[in-house]
């Protein structure tokens, strides 16, 4: 079930997470500056995969909107949707690798600190 964001939630710090679907397709289209049919086309190409409510309604998250802005930026440069799909895959893989590298660096530093305190 999709949680409805209320004014109290916005003020009280109980905001939805960046990946939680809260925007209906019409709102997401307006925020992204594209048409509803364009969003459906992007979904068909696998460029964005919005969450679905229990009734099957698409719900876009803040992360989805950021991705839509990136897609819009790339289409504005004349890049075909199939190529955009590959670019997004590579960017996602790069982000995953950077996160893993940062975690390994943190673990290495922790082990070094622990090792030097044992001496």
């Amino acid at each position: 079930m999709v949680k409805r964001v209320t004014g109290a939630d916005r003020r009280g710090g109980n905001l939805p997470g960046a990946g939680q679907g809260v925007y209906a397709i019409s709102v997401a289209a307006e925020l992204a500056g594209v048409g509803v049919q364009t969003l459906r086309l992007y979904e068909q190409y696998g460029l964005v995969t919005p969450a679905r409510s229990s009734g099957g309604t698409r719900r876009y998250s803040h992360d989805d909107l950021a991705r839509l802005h990136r897609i819009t930026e790339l289409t504005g440069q004349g890049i075909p949707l199939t190529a955009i799909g590959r670019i997004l895959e590579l960017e996602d893989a790069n982000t995953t690798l950077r996160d893993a590298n940062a975690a390994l660096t943190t673990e290495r530093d922790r082990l070094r600190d622990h090792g030097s305190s044992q001496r």
Side-chain angles (χ1 to χ4, degrees):
M1 181 114 207
V2 175
K3 179 180 182 248
R4 185 166 180 256
V5 180
T6 65
D9 291 334
R10 286 186 201 98
R11 289 187 304 275
N14 194 13
L15 294 173
Q20 185 177 0
V22 293
Y23 303 103
I25 192 168
S26 58
V27 175
E30 184 177 338
L31 291 171
V34 297
V36 170
Q37 290 301 325
T38 301
L39 290 187
R40 290 187 178 115
L41 180 66
Y42 291 168
E43 186 177 355
Q44 185 178 2
Y45 272 83
L47 303 179
V48 65
T49 307
R52 298 277 183 155
S53 70
S54 58
T57 303
R58 291 172 179 87
R59 292 291 182 194
Y60 292 84
S61 68
H62 178 73
D63 289 345
D64 292 329
L65 291 177
R67 191 170 184 93
L68 289 170
H69 285 293
R70 179 69 176 132
I71 294 166
T72 301
E73 181 181 289
L74 293 168
T75 57
Q77 295 174 17
I79 300 173
L81 293 180
T82 52
I84 289 172
R86 185 65 180 135
I87 290 168
L88 294 175
E89 284 176 15
L90 292 170
E91 288 177 348
D92 290 345
N94 191 25
T95 298
T96 300
L97 290 172
R98 284 179 193 219
D99 291 347
N101 188 37
L104 288 171
T105 299
T106 300
E107 179 66 8
R108 180 204 62 207
D109 293 346
R110 187 189 66 77
L111 290 171
R112 279 186 182 164
D113 291 345
H114 180 72
S116 63
S117 67
Q118 296 291 321
R119 292 182 192 161

